[in-house]
Amino acid sequence: MPAQRQFRFECPDGDVIYTVQTSLRAKHVRLRVSPREGLVVVIPQGFDRSLVSGIVGKRLFWIRKALGKMPVVRSPEGLLPQTLFLRSIGEEWCVFFEVNKKPECCFVEKPGRILEIHSLPGGLNTQLDLLYEWVKRKAGIELLKKLDEVSKQYGFLYDKGAVRCQKTRWGSCSAKRTISLNMKLLFLPPDLVEYIMLHELCHTVYMNHSQRFWALVEQKMPDYVVYDRAMREASRYIPQFLQ
């Protein structure tokens, strides 16, 4: 992928650096921020790029607020965590990265909640891939077990559950009542995880966000609004390597 050109919006309070990305799927201009990319302005194909600077200027308040909440970008080595706090199940794991001379890459769980990641020298990407694989496997076990408990607790039926790494959703429910959960939920507090699961279970009854849907959510969880608002800041619980 070719390097993206960076642009600078000059401002007395500090210049804003951003990149412009053209999307075939985009219908409107949108802004996003992330630890790895910084500020990215996504534009539809054929959009006049000379207008982008003006859009950045009009959205400065939102941009500075979003950048202020974003985790500090670390060096590649800083992506490797020493501990993993799985808040949803109250477990904290110590992570050790071991370098092997043999071409054998794997993760090993040891007593005392110790996780060892074995890889070849200089294998940062492999280490991250193995860590990602372990988290997804752990989430598949713990989150699906929790989903079953929550469904019984609130009196819902669903066909099957799945765990994925969704970029923009914490969960989803298909027309066939298959509930997909974001593996990142593993790092959220239990009450927020329960709310997301209940939200998706309510979609097995109403496949929309109609008034009847929200009435059902409120019936099952009267204080759901508290958790719904808290989810706006939920990304702060997610480790750097999964951002």
Side-chain angles (χ1 to χ4, degrees):
M1 179 181 293
Q4 291 180 314
R5 179 186 171 189
Q6 289 190 325
F7 298 86
R8 180 185 300 272
F9 181 86
E10 297 183 358
C11 183
D13 297 333
D15 295 352
V16 175
I17 307 298
Y18 63 93
T19 57
V20 179
Q21 185 179 100
T22 301
S23 171
L24 297 176
R25 300 174 61 183
K27 296 181 179 179
H28 308 283
V29 177
R30 61 185 177 88
L31 280 62
R32 72 166 188 259
V33 296
S34 71
R36 294 185 181 182
E37 298 179 296
L39 172 63
V40 178
V41 182
V42 182
I43 61 174
Q45 190 174 33
F47 186 82
D48 187 352
R49 287 180 172 244
S50 66
L51 300 176
V52 173
S53 179
I55 294 173
V56 172
K58 291 179 181 179
R59 299 292 304 279
L60 274 179
F61 178 78
W62 179 90
I63 291 169
R64 294 198 185 283
K65 186 177 180 180
L67 290 173
K69 293 180 179 180
M70 188 176 65
V72 176
V73 179
R74 303 176 183 177
S75 64
E77 291 73 15
L79 292 172
L80 301 176
Q82 295 180 335
T83 59
L84 291 175
F85 188 13
L86 313 182
R87 292 174 180 81
S88 66
I89 56 175
E91 291 185 5
E92 186 169 8
W93 287 73
C94 294
V95 186
F96 296 92
F97 296 90
E98 305 288 341
V99 176
N100 297 336
K101 294 182 179 180
K102 299 180 180 179
E104 181 181 356
C105 301
C106 62
F107 57 77
V108 180
E109 294 182 7
K110 293 194 172 182
R113 291 177 183 162
I114 293 175
L115 174 64
E116 290 185 355
I117 303 294
H118 296 265
S119 66
L120 296 173
L124 175 62
N125 289 334
T126 301
Q127 291 171 328
L128 290 172
D129 288 343
L130 288 168
L131 194 57
Y132 177 97
E133 183 182 341
W134 182 85
V135 171
K136 188 174 182 179
R137 174 178 171 273
K138 185 75 171 176
I141 297 172
E142 302 294 345
L143 294 180
L144 294 183
K145 181 171 64 176
K146 179 66 175 178
L147 177 62
D148 192 51
E149 294 172 357
V150 172
S151 67
K152 292 176 181 177
Q153 175 185 346
Y154 290 99
F156 286 97
L157 294 175
Y158 65 98
D159 186 53
K160 62 180 180 180
V163 170
R164 299 184 174 89
C165 188
Q166 297 154 305
K167 290 186 177 181
T168 59
R169 292 183 178 184
W170 292 106
S172 62
C173 178
S174 73
K176 294 183 178 181
R177 297 198 304 181
T178 295
I179 294 180
S180 297
L181 300 172
N182 193 321
M183 71 186 211
K184 298 175 186 177
L185 288 171
L186 196 60
F187 297 93
L188 269 57
D191 52 356
L192 296 186
V193 176
E194 182 175 329
Y195 165 66
I196 291 297
M197 290 181 175
L198 172 64
H199 183 111
E200 299 308 330
L201 286 166
C202 286
H203 278 311
T204 63
V205 181
Y206 299 110
M207 287 295 298
N208 51 46
H209 287 103
S210 62
Q211 290 184 348
R212 289 188 297 177
F213 168 82
W214 288 113
L216 179 60
V217 175
E218 186 174 19
Q219 176 190 338
K220 299 293 185 178
M221 186 178 284
D223 54 350
Y224 82 92
V225 174
V226 175
Y227 305 120
D228 193 64
R229 290 174 179 169
M231 287 303 301
R232 300 173 189 174
E233 306 292 333
S235 60
R236 64 192 176 97
Y237 296 112
I238 310 303
Q240 177 76 12
F241 75 95
L242 285 177
Q243 293 283 356

